[in-house]
Amino acid sequence: MKKVVGIFGGSFNPVHRGHIMLAQYLSQHSHLDEVWLTLSPQNPFKVSKELLDDNHRLSMLQLATDGIDGVEVCDIELSMPRPSYTINTLERLSQEYPQYQFNIVIGGDNWNLFDKWKDYSRIINEYGVVVYPRPGYELNPIGDTNVVFVDAPLADVSSTEIRNSIANGKDVEELLPQGVWEYIKANNLYN
Ligand code: ATP
């Protein structure tokens, strides 16, 4: 049997404890053997001054996952044509790592819009989807063995809240994974 890797994508601007808690939970309590936090690059057509440089966001992901079993960082989308579609990322990952089966990890908010995603039925049938709850979003389940709903615990934290707090001079160390607060301070980010 191939190892199953969950691709958990995001902008991670910055990565926070909620992301790490979820990834760790899924690697321990679902059929996923590993979870790869997969960095979405800057979109050249949607330049946002809030979105930090790819390299900073990648460095923070590396600090946050250092020494955490079953949770890894994936930067494959940084070298792919943009904007990147999930189906293309999954195809590329499968070519590069034929020893793994890839699933995607998405929140209930995205699941409810999933039929708008490019090639969504191929994502379900050829790969697989793991859905975790998001507060305020009711889940519309379907009876497909390739779509697994996991009742993961959620931390009430968001990157937006963290960026705003830093800009307002607050200490947000307790919301951030190991090393990330030091990195933000040392590089004077989000001010
Ligand atoms: P922002 O506030 O900048 O939109 P975010 O943390 O909501 O950031 P991303 O950095 O893109 O979003 O996070 C990647 C994924 O993590 C998203 O799909 C989102 O559903 C999920 N996520 C965000 N916050 C949490 C949380 N507290 N617990 C679990 N998952 C979360």
Side-chain angles (χ1 to χ4, degrees), residues 8-19 21-22 40 50 105-110 132-135 153-161 163:
F8 179 29
S11 51
F12 302 111
N13 184 37
V15 60
H16 56 62
R17 281 197 200 260
H19 298 132
M21 255 183 57
L22 176 68
S40 307
E50 285 232 308
V105 173
I106 59 174
D109 49 342
N110 275 321
Y132 63 89
R134 292 281 299 188
L154 300 173
D156 182 18
V157 41
S158 77
S159 299
T160 304
E161 176 199 337
R163 290 194 302 275

Side-chain angles (χ1 to χ4, degrees), residues 164-184:
N164 291 339
S165 298
I166 296 173
N168 291 322
K170 295 198 181 116
D171 180 334
V172 288
E173 184 169 11
E174 78 283 4
L175 304 178
L176 295 167
Q178 58 193 5
V180 173
W181 177 233
E182 287 71 19
Y183 185 92
I184 289 174

Side-chain angles (χ1 to χ4, degrees), residues 40-48 51 54 77 80-84:
S40 307
Q42 293 262 9
N43 180 337
F45 303 110
K46 240 202 279 175
V47 176
S48 147
L51 184 59
D54 297 342
E77 288 189 354
M80 289 179 62
R82 298 170 197 189
S84 51

